Amino acid sequence: MHQQALSAATAVSAGDEIRVLDHGFIRVVDLMGDDQAIVQAARVSYGRGTKTAREDRGLIRYLMRHWHTSPFEMCEIKLHVKAPLFVARQWLRHRTASVNEYSARYSVVPDEFYVPTGEVLAPQSSDKKQGRADAVSHTAAEFIRKRLKDHVKTSYDLYEALLGGDDTVGGEGVARELARIALPLNTYTEFYWKIDLHNLLHFVRLRAHDHSQYEIRVYAEAILSIMERWVPFTYEAFVDYRLGGAQFSRLELAALRRMLGGETVTAENSGLSQREWREFTSHFALGASAA
Ligand SMILES: Cc1cc2nc3c(=O)[nH]c(=O)nc-3n(C[C@H](O)[C@H](O)[C@H](O)COP(=O)(O)OP(=O)(O)OC[C@H]3O[C@@H](n4cnc5c(N)ncnc54)[C@H](O)[C@@H]3O)c2cc1C
């Protein structure tokens, strides 16, 4: 994992930083609220209630289980993120946050590029349309890494030539907002990102999932390690009910009931499509039929 987690003993505070990928990081800028704030807000809705830590934990688990999401909005976090452009592009699809990004019109872009390590350089997966198979050989990885490094050097040389207007571009430079078009997708960018805990959970659920691209997943995992220390009861409930839990459709529940009744249920007699059946049975690591 290309992400260095915070020590398990540390509580989270502003300034804490987790290194991610080769030059990236997530730094905590500010935090508002904690598990207590969630419980407090829920108590306003439900009247007098829980008092002990055990009951607080139970209330948070109840809220998570039943999708009572608004109390989680009482907590907010502001992060400073440094990530490659292609990761930032996926990240900023999440619209429920406030963002300020480094301006490559205003400032010169630093000479920093993401170059994957050999373990994560892999060919296209044959069964997943968006995904990778197993890593390429060590020899191939070394070739690919060298080509990528050569490529970013050429790109950055051109960027500097366009800024400075040297002889290779006819002696006249162009504005930073134009010169940047020479830079590749693995260039690092930085942004401030402020989001409430409800929407953060949504982000992490989607981006820590193994369907997500590795390079954004490691950032989501870094955020998870921040949550573990910031809101431990919420983190635990989230792992139990969202990351580690599963949701079943009406047809899947019907199939489950038949299985529990001792019936042999197959893809063919389940009423599910082949794909739904595969996804359903993957929860239990079952084969083609289930009794
Ligand atoms: C594995 C994976 C693959 C993906 N592949 C692609 C792809 O190939 N192409 C692509 O374009 N995107 C892709 N996405 C991005 C995806 O479609 C979402 O845009 C992204 O995950 C943000 O999710 P969101 O809209 O739920 O989150 P947010 O923008 O944070 O929104 C959170 C929730 O708020 C509500 N909401 C926010 N804005 C609106 C609105 N304007 N109208 C109505 N409701 C709103 C919705 O309920 C939404 O779920 C992919 C995402 C993942 C995780």
Side-chain angles (χ1 to χ4, degrees):
M1 184 192 300
H2 292 155
Q3 166 238 309
Q4 168 211 326
L6 293 174
S7 132
T10 335
V12 177
S13 51
D16 286 351
E17 181 179 305
I18 301 177
R19 311 291 305 178
V20 190
L21 300 178
D22 48 1
H23 302 292
F25 60 73
I26 292 185
R27 185 178 299 139
V28 178
V29 177
D30 212 352
L31 295 151
M32 184 180 86
D34 52 15
D35 280 332
Q36 269 304 312
I38 297 162
V39 167
Q40 208 177 27
R43 278 194 195 127
V44 170
S45 319
Y46 298 126
R48 291 190 68 234
T50 58
K51 288 276 181 283
T52 65
R54 197 166 143 262
E55 285 170 322
D56 286 353
R57 175 176 174 269
L59 176 54
I60 286 179
R61 292 177 74 78
Y62 176 87
L63 296 171
M64 186 71 73
R65 220 163 43 244
H66 296 280
W67 297 87
H68 289 303
T69 55
S70 53
F72 296 102
E73 294 169 27
M74 298 299 154
C75 298
E76 289 196 337
I77 191 164
K78 194 194 295 175
L79 300 172
H80 179 176
V81 179
K82 182 173 174 188
L85 282 172
F86 68 94
V87 170
R89 186 171 169 174
Q90 294 181 342
W91 195 309
L92 300 183
R93 293 299 308 280
H94 296 262
R95 297 156 290 176
T96 43
S98 304
V99 186
N100 273 106
E101 189 178 4
Y102 184 92
S103 171
R105 297 180 70 197
Y106 191 83
S107 306
V108 173
V109 177
D111 183 8
E112 283 181 316
F113 301 93
Y114 167 61
V115 178
T117 58
E119 307 96 74
V120 300
L121 278 170
Q124 184 65 41
S125 162
S126 55
D127 56 342
K128 283 192 228 143
K129 290 203 170 67
Q130 289 186 329
R132 313 176 192 176
D134 294 334
V136 297
S137 67
H138 176 72
T139 312
E142 286 310 302
F143 272 103
I144 295 167
R145 281 170 52 78
K146 179 169 184 325
R147 289 292 307 272
L148 282 170
K149 286 178 186 170
D150 291 348
H151 178 66
V152 296
K153 181 166 183 338
T154 307
S155 301
Y156 202 77
D157 285 350
L158 173 56
Y159 176 64
E160 287 189 309
L162 289 168
L163 287 177
D166 70 14
D167 290 347
T168 65
V169 293
E172 289 180 63
V174 297
R176 288 185 283 270
E177 66 183 12
L178 280 170
R180 65 175 166 178
I181 68 176
L183 296 173
L185 271 178
N186 60 345
T187 309
Y188 272 89
T189 185
E190 295 186 34
F191 54 94
Y192 264 40
W193 195 64
K194 184 184 71 92
I195 192 162
D196 68 51
L197 182 57
H198 164 60
N199 286 299
L200 184 71
L201 297 176
H202 181 67
F203 173 88
V204 172
R205 188 166 65 86
L206 292 172
R207 299 301 179 177
H209 195 279
D210 64 4
H211 287 180
S212 233
Q213 174 161 356
Y214 166 80
E215 283 79 9
I216 193 165
R217 214 161 63 221
V218 284
Y219 285 88
E221 285 165 0
I223 293 175
L224 262 176
S225 85
I226 292 171
M227 277 172 44
E228 186 176 6
R229 284 149 196 90
W230 172 34
V231 281
F233 288 159
T234 301
Y235 167 83
E236 184 199 25
F238 177 67
V239 170
D240 287 350
Y241 297 119
R242 300 280 185 277
L243 293 189
Q247 186 174 319
F248 295 112
S249 69
R250 181 178 62 81
L251 287 175
E252 288 169 338
L253 274 180
L256 259 183
R257 287 193 191 100
R258 285 166 59 199
M259 286 174 197
L260 289 171
E263 222 181 294
T264 299
V265 183
T266 63
E268 288 66 36
N269 71 16
S270 66
L272 300 169
S273 71
Q274 289 291 337
R275 184 171 186 169
E276 285 172 326
W277 177 257
R278 266 200 315 278
E279 288 175 8
F280 171 58
T281 52
S282 72
H283 292 302
F284 318 103
L286 298 174
S289 69

